[in-house]
Amino acid sequence: MQQVSAQGFDVPAIGYGTWQLRGKECREGVAHALSVGYRHVDTAQMYGNEDEVGQAVEGSAVARSEVWLTTKLGLGNMAADAVKRSTEESLSKLRTDYLDLLLIHWPSQDTPLAETLGAMHELRKAGKVRTVGVSNFPPSWQEAALRHGPLLTNQVEYHLYLPQRPVLDLCADHDMVLTAYSPLARGRVLDDPVVREIAESHKVHPAQVAIAWVLSQGPVTAIPKATAPERIESNLAALEVSLSPDERARLDELGEGATGRIIDPPFAPDWER
């Protein structure tokens, strides 16, 4: 499995995203992903599926030590005591005694970053989590968070129509990984004529081209979601797609001036800051 390195940690370049997956569908998706070679699984307290993810990881033939397991703090779990309590609950549901990565899922307007990150770094020093990071943090929030200790990643929406260059540059400057969620823009990029033309020339699925572009941008990992076994396998095979400089340049142009943000809930931060 291709990996991205930062701060002495190796993160599998493609992970299995579990947002909106529940019950049997989630368990079977994670189990199949692990069986075909995925070694990176992403979940969150807000997803309500940590128990299913934990069952699949525990039941897999893959050793826990070989799986990079990420979860994220829910919006109501940002105070120091809630960080510690909810992380213990996540560990129990996930059937593990440590997390590879714990993230702040969304910036909080109510709890100071210093309090949340302070508790997260305490968990890191105690061995409950190996690394900490943030998610959905615009550049100014990311810079503020970095004042409170090292961060391994900022997990953000990132795809051909939303290239996120300022966030990527910050990650590169601070030896961080950018984790790309929704790398297929919820399927929107799959019908793009440029993507389809390049995919046809490589004899691959358009999703593989879109994911390969994301991974070519720098210190980036991607966590596409899929439920059909063939799509789970196809996404992983994006690691085998090598784009030429000309192809990357053509794909780069798709994000110029684009307003391709899809994930923008009412509690989202000011993305321009």
Side-chain angles (χ1 to χ4, degrees), residues 149-228:
L151 302 173
L152 187 73
T153 193
N154 187 0
Q155 183 182 126
V156 294
E157 180 184 348
Y158 188 95
H159 46 73
L160 284 163
Y161 301 148
L162 189 66
Q164 298 270 33
R165 177 54 59 179
V167 174
L168 183 61
D169 289 345
L170 262 179
C171 287
D173 289 345
H174 292 275
D175 193 22
M176 294 175 63
V177 176
L178 187 153
T179 303
Y181 73 73
S182 295
L184 305 179
R186 289 195 179 178
R188 295 183 189 182
V189 301
L190 303 183
D191 292 323
D192 189 287
V194 174
V195 176
R196 295 190 70 84
E197 180 185 332
I198 293 172
E200 288 170 7
S201 70
H202 285 267
K203 295 181 172 57
V204 299
H205 192 277
Q208 293 172 300
V209 169
I211 294 170
W213 175 87
V214 165
L215 298 180
S216 76
Q217 296 305 294
V220 178
T221 64
I223 49 169
K225 183 191 76 174
T227 53

Side-chain angles (χ1 to χ4, degrees), residues 107 109 136-141 261 264 267-273:
Q109 302 290 347
N136 297 300
F137 271 42
S140 64
W141 278 88
R261 187 176 302 282
D264 192 18
F267 50 80
D270 178 355
W271 296 116
E272 302 306 317
R273 293 184 55 215

Side-chain angles (χ1 to χ4, degrees), residues 10 96 112 166 168 185 189 203 207 212 219 248 254 260:
D10 296 324
T96 184
L168 183 61
V189 301
K203 295 181 172 57
R248 288 198 302 272
L254 300 180

Side-chain angles (χ1 to χ4, degrees), residues 15-244:
Y16 184 66
T18 64
W19 181 48
Q20 296 182 321
L21 297 183
R22 297 285 191 279
K24 180 181 178 182
E25 185 177 57
C26 181
R27 288 192 301 273
E28 292 184 348
V30 174
H32 186 70
L34 292 173
S35 74
V36 298
Y38 284 77
R39 294 297 181 265
H40 177 178
V41 180
D42 180 272
T43 183
Q45 293 172 359
M46 289 175 66
Y47 297 172
N49 63 12
E50 288 177 318
D51 190 60
E52 290 91 338
V53 170
Q55 290 176 45
V57 173
E58 184 181 55
S60 170
V62 180
R64 167 67 185 91
S65 60
E66 295 181 24
V67 181
W68 183 274
L69 188 55
T70 299
T71 196
K72 313 176 195 70
L73 295 168
L75 286 173
N77 294 326
M78 298 298 177
D81 60 343
V83 169
K84 296 173 183 177
R85 172 189 51 75
S86 68
T87 299
E88 291 290 351
E89 292 171 357
S90 290
L91 290 170
S92 177
K93 292 175 181 177
L94 289 165
R95 295 162 168 74
T96 184
D97 56 5
Y98 72 96
L99 296 167
D100 294 282
L101 176 60
L102 177 65
L103 303 178
I104 297 176
H105 202 158
W106 289 89
S108 172
Q109 302 290 347
D110 302 318
T111 306
L113 270 175
E115 179 176 350
T116 306
L117 286 167
M120 293 169 70
H121 283 296
E122 286 181 23
L123 289 169
R124 177 177 58 82
K125 292 171 184 175
K128 298 287 187 179
V129 303
R130 296 177 66 206
T131 63
V132 302
V134 297
S135 180
N136 297 300
F137 271 42
S140 64
W141 278 88
Q142 184 175 341
E143 290 174 332
L146 282 162
R147 300 186 191 113
H148 301 287
L151 302 173
L152 187 73
T153 193
N154 187 0
Q155 183 182 126
V156 294
E157 180 184 348
Y158 188 95
H159 46 73
L160 284 163
Y161 301 148
L162 189 66
Q164 298 270 33
R165 177 54 59 179
V167 174
L168 183 61
D169 289 345
L170 262 179
C171 287
D173 289 345
H174 292 275
D175 193 22
M176 294 175 63
V177 176
L178 187 153
T179 303
Y181 73 73
S182 295
L184 305 179
R186 289 195 179 178
R188 295 183 189 182
V189 301
L190 303 183
D191 292 323
D192 189 287
V194 174
V195 176
R196 295 190 70 84
E197 180 185 332
I198 293 172
E200 288 170 7
S201 70
H202 285 267
K203 295 181 172 57
V204 299
H205 192 277
Q208 293 172 300
V209 169
I211 294 170
W213 175 87
V214 165
L215 298 180
S216 76
Q217 296 305 294
V220 178
T221 64
I223 49 169
K225 183 191 76 174
T227 53
E230 61 270 21
R231 290 279 70 82
I232 293 172
E233 296 167 27
S234 175
N235 289 343
L236 185 63
L239 292 171
E240 302 168 11
V241 177
S242 180
L243 300 172
S244 71

